[in-house]
Amino acid sequence: MTNGKIKHVFPGGNTPQGFFSYYDYIIPTDATRIFIIKGGPGVGKSTFMKKIGDEMLKRNYDVEFHHCSSDNNSLDGITIPALQIAFIDGTAPHIVDPKNPGCVDEILHLGDFWNESKMVKNKPQIMACTQEIGRSFRRAYHVLRAAKAIYDDWEVANGEALNYAIANKKATEIITDIFAGIDTTGAGKIRKLFASAITPDGPVNHLESIIDTMTRQYIISGAPGTGKATLLQKIVDTAIIKGLNVEAYYCPLDPLKVEHILIPSCNIAITTSSPPHTYGKPATMFIDMNDCLNPNILANYSEIIVYDKTTFWALFNKAVSYLNNAKNLHDELETYFVPNMDFDAIQNLWEKTLRRVLLYAESKNNS
């Protein structure tokens, strides 16, 4: 049997604004079932979800793996789009609680399977470790805010050299090419996620698993301040006006700024390709927004741009070091939970839950 396809995304991210969540977009509001998994570090939430996802892939269901920005090898959720079923980590910092308890949402509490008496003995260590993790995240977010301020100045310097007439012409050309022959009515919907994240390992992206699903691929490159995000927002707005549903993937340095777009019904992907996330595969159309920069004006700001670029990356890497420290502390925190868990009982719950998911699949197939 052919396995299903995998899409890797991030539902939330470490940003200059702190932890920023697009968790409300993990699954549509008319979901079949949402399992919200609760429990402390190391109780097996990520493993529980990954095993469900792997089993459904074997049964030829496409699965989305929603990764954790604070540990990109761990999961914050999975979705099985064909069944409209999701599993979501409901613990901090992305606290999720049932919105429609019973009929749609339910809690699977893996904390029911820990030995409380043994856990209490580790209370001082757990509390101290948790507090230090919080401090590391706060430091990371403070430094990311400083990095963002420098990045903004970098954008302004390039923006002074931007020829808006050329930029607008390029935008018109690509929008015309993308939407040629598309004539629909009504308003489309937007789904918001992240394709990349600022993680303890530095910048990480899953562009290939997202972009490669579409046959028409548009790649937009350019330095900061060359109008890439403005162009992508125009594409999003046009698609929605034309009644097309859009998946918009946002920038972790500015979580309100679009970086990548999918228009699934048209098999179209539009992605920005510039450090730290580059996409070097052949494209339907390649647009270099650096062509819109006046080299003579740009030369006047060269010293500022070099300073901003160097300082930005120094601050960015310092923020990553704080995230890495938080990850190491989190790993230590897990050692206080893992020995005190009844993993056999969790396995039994997992098997029971998988059977329920398969019953939902059987019911859908028979309907």
Side-chain angles (χ1 to χ4, degrees):
M1 180 180 289
T2 304
N3 285 357
K5 296 178 181 177
I6 302 174
K7 182 189 286 187
H8 297 283
V9 299
F10 293 94
N14 299 305
T15 79
Q17 299 181 29
F19 182 80
F20 194 97
S21 171
Y22 279 126
Y23 269 61
D24 287 344
Y25 294 89
I26 288 179
I27 193 164
T29 53
D30 58 346
T32 301
R33 202 72 183 167
I34 300 174
F35 297 92
I36 300 171
I37 304 182
K38 302 278 190 177
V43 302
K45 301 185 298 295
S46 178
T47 300
F48 191 105
M49 292 186 286
K50 184 179 186 305
K51 287 168 61 180
I52 292 285
D54 289 343
E55 286 295 326
M56 298 312 292
L57 285 168
K58 292 176 185 176
R59 290 166 170 80
N60 204 28
Y61 285 94
D62 294 347
V63 179
E64 291 183 352
F65 287 86
H66 292 251
H67 292 262
C68 173
S69 59
S70 298
D71 179 1
N72 46 288
N73 294 315
S74 184
L75 294 177
D76 277 346
I78 67 164
T79 64
I80 309 163
L83 303 179
Q84 295 288 66
I85 290 175
F87 289 77
I88 301 173
D89 182 341
T91 56
H94 35 73
I95 296 173
V96 179
D97 287 309
K99 296 179 180 178
N100 301 288
C103 61
V104 176
D105 318 59
E106 65 179 271
I107 292 175
L108 302 178
H109 200 327
L110 302 193
D112 292 341
F113 306 108
W114 60 40
N115 187 317
E116 183 177 344
S117 61
K118 291 183 179 179
M119 292 288 297
V120 169
K121 295 178 181 178
N122 295 321
K123 179 179 177 181
Q125 297 93 323
I126 290 173
M127 293 185 68
C129 196
T130 300
Q131 289 172 357
E132 192 55 39
I133 290 171
R135 293 187 186 101
S136 291
F137 274 114
R138 286 191 291 275
R139 292 187 183 102
Y141 298 148
H142 290 157
V143 176
L144 277 177
R145 281 196 287 276
K148 176 62 166 60
I150 294 296
Y151 192 88
D152 289 345
D153 191 63
W154 186 1
E155 285 189 327
V156 168
N158 283 324
E160 293 291 335
L162 185 65
N163 185 317
Y164 286 91
I166 297 176
N168 288 332
K169 184 174 183 293
K170 281 181 175 286
T172 300
E173 288 174 354
I174 187 173
I175 289 172
T176 300
D177 189 81
I178 288 172
F179 296 104
I182 296 175
D183 185 19
T184 58
T185 58
K189 296 180 180 179
I190 186 169
R191 186 187 187 205
K192 302 179 180 182
L193 293 166
F194 293 98
S196 57
I198 303 169
T199 80
D201 293 331
V204 172
N205 74 75
H206 293 296
L207 278 176
E208 289 191 3
S209 80
I210 298 169
I211 303 303
D212 286 0
T213 60
M214 302 290 105
T215 55
R216 292 173 63 192
Q217 299 172 1
Y218 296 77
I219 299 176
I220 303 169
S221 70
T226 53
K228 301 186 299 298
T230 301
L231 170 54
L232 263 68
Q233 188 60 55
K234 287 180 180 178
I235 295 170
V236 169
D237 294 341
T238 304
I240 291 173
I241 289 171
K242 288 182 173 291
L244 301 171
N245 293 337
V246 175
E247 287 185 13
Y249 294 85
Y250 288 78
C251 172
L253 194 65
D254 185 345
L256 301 179
K257 181 183 288 186
V258 183
E259 279 190 322
H260 319 283
I261 304 168
L262 292 189
I263 310 175
S265 63
C266 302
N267 244 320
I268 290 173
I270 307 101
T271 180
T272 57
S273 179
S274 55
H277 45 74
T278 57
Y279 186 80
K281 294 191 175 182
T284 303
M285 181 185 288
F286 181 84
I287 303 94
D288 188 352
M289 298 302 289
N290 287 331
D291 294 342
C292 306
L293 295 174
N294 183 315
N296 295 324
I297 297 176
L298 199 63
N300 294 332
Y301 292 93
S302 60
E303 186 176 337
I304 291 172
I305 290 170
V306 169
Y307 172 82
D308 286 346
K309 183 176 182 178
T310 302
T311 306
F312 166 76
W313 283 112
L315 289 167
F316 184 95
N317 291 330
K318 187 62 177 177
V320 167
S321 74
Y322 286 132
L323 292 175
N324 185 263
N325 187 58
K327 168 62 169 60
N328 291 335
L329 289 165
H330 188 273
D331 290 345
E332 178 185 334
L333 190 60
E334 288 187 348
T335 65
Y336 300 118
F337 285 80
V338 173
N340 301 310
M341 297 301 301
D342 184 347
F343 287 107
D344 289 337
I346 293 176
Q347 174 64 19
N348 290 336
L349 176 63
W350 178 86
E351 292 172 359
K352 176 182 176 182
T353 306
L354 176 61
R355 288 194 294 270
R356 292 179 60 193
V357 172
L358 295 177
L359 284 174
Y360 284 119
E362 183 180 344
S363 175
K364 184 174 180 61
N365 291 334
N366 292 333
S367 62

